[in-house]
Amino acid sequence: MSRIGNKCIEIPDKIKISIDGNEIKVEGPKGTLSHTMSARVDAKLEDGQLSFSRKSNTPKDKAFHGLTRSLVNNMVLGTSQGFKKTLIINGVGFKAAVKGKVLELSLGYSHPVNYPIPEDVQVKVEDNLKVTVEGIDKQRVGAVAADIRAYYPPEPYKGKGVRYDDEVIRRKEGKTAQGK
């Protein structure tokens, strides 16, 4: 039984939802998102609540039931509040700057790393070390943050690299000199 799929989504007043067959469209103050649902799942909007039901109890239908509910809930949250990921840059001489539609990262390489910023995501840099990725699509925000982090993941010995704000890096002990 899908416990997630059975929960109803409370629709805030400022959000408009339209269901056209398998296409569900969510409009809010921050923007518009749409999703094509599986034919195995039905959506019903009643009294400010959106509920989902599945056609049968096969494992695939149960999986799509919970997945669809989670994706639509993320769409409602994104169009009303938005999503945000923060990255911290650690290292001597490491810094970031937004230049037009490009995020320029200096990560200790012989050249700056240029990351083109997608249209549906906003990137801000504070103090040259704190990069904030914001947008209405949770998957897109997470993917952009992961792409930026992948240029120089944090290493466990000195802690240099790009890490998430809430990420904890387990530090390792370095080599010790053996005296004879």
Side-chain angles (χ1 to χ4, degrees), residues 83-87 89 96-105 115-126 130-135 140-141 143-145 148:
F83 292 102
K84 178 178 173 181
K85 285 267 189 186
T86 305
L87 299 158
I89 300 174
V98 176
K99 294 186 178 177
K101 288 286 185 186
V102 174
L103 175 67
E104 186 176 285
L105 300 164
Y115 180 76
I117 301 170
E119 292 293 323
D120 53 348
V121 174
Q122 295 83 35
V123 176
K124 298 176 196 160
V125 177
E126 299 172 24
K130 191 173 185 181
V131 179
T132 306
V133 181
E134 295 182 39
R140 195 79 170 120
V141 169
V144 168
I148 294 169

Side-chain angles (χ1 to χ4, degrees), residues 19 21-24 35-43 52 68 72:
I19 302 169
N22 286 347
E23 185 74 24
I24 190 161
H35 173 68
T36 304
M37 298 186 301
S38 169
R40 302 168 182 263
V41 179
D42 290 326
F52 297 93
T68 303
V72 173

Side-chain angles (χ1 to χ4, degrees), residues 16-180:
K16 291 183 211 163
I17 293 185
S18 60
I19 302 169
D20 183 26
N22 286 347
E23 185 74 24
I24 190 161
K25 189 175 182 182
V26 180
E27 293 181 50
K30 294 214 176 239
T32 303
L33 292 172
S34 65
H35 173 68
T36 304
M37 298 186 301
S38 169
R40 302 168 182 263
V41 179
D42 290 326
K44 189 165 50 171
L45 183 62
E46 290 180 333
D47 302 328
Q49 288 190 334
L50 186 63
S51 61
F52 297 93
S53 60
R54 57 181 178 257
K55 306 267 188 206
S56 69
N57 280 331
T58 63
K60 204 166 199 171
D61 286 356
K62 290 179 182 180
F64 276 117
H65 187 207
L67 173 71
T68 303
R69 191 259 180 211
S70 292
L71 291 175
V72 173
N73 187 47
N74 286 340
M75 289 166 51
V76 170
L77 290 175
T79 54
S80 63
Q81 303 166 4
F83 292 102
K84 178 178 173 181
K85 285 267 189 186
T86 305
L87 299 158
I88 305 293
I89 300 174
N90 289 333
V92 177
F94 287 20
K95 61 184 178 179
V98 176
K99 294 186 178 177
K101 288 286 185 186
V102 174
L103 175 67
E104 186 176 285
L105 300 164
S106 297
L107 299 174
Y109 299 124
S110 62
H111 59 283
V113 177
N114 294 322
Y115 180 76
I117 301 170
E119 292 293 323
D120 53 348
V121 174
Q122 295 83 35
V123 176
K124 298 176 196 160
V125 177
E126 299 172 24
D127 303 328
N128 291 334
L129 299 175
K130 191 173 185 181
V131 179
T132 306
V133 181
E134 295 182 39
I136 61 173
D137 188 354
K138 185 175 187 177
Q139 188 273 334
R140 195 79 170 120
V141 169
V144 168
D147 287 346
I148 294 169
R149 182 185 181 276
Y151 284 121
Y152 201 119
E155 53 96 8
Y157 294 102
K158 291 185 179 179
K160 294 188 334 184
V162 181
R163 66 176 174 85
Y164 295 113
D165 189 23
D166 56 353
E167 183 178 12
V168 177
I169 305 301
R170 291 187 60 199
R171 302 290 293 269
K172 291 183 179 179
E173 190 176 321
K175 291 182 181 179
T176 56
Q178 293 181 349
K180 288 189 177 183

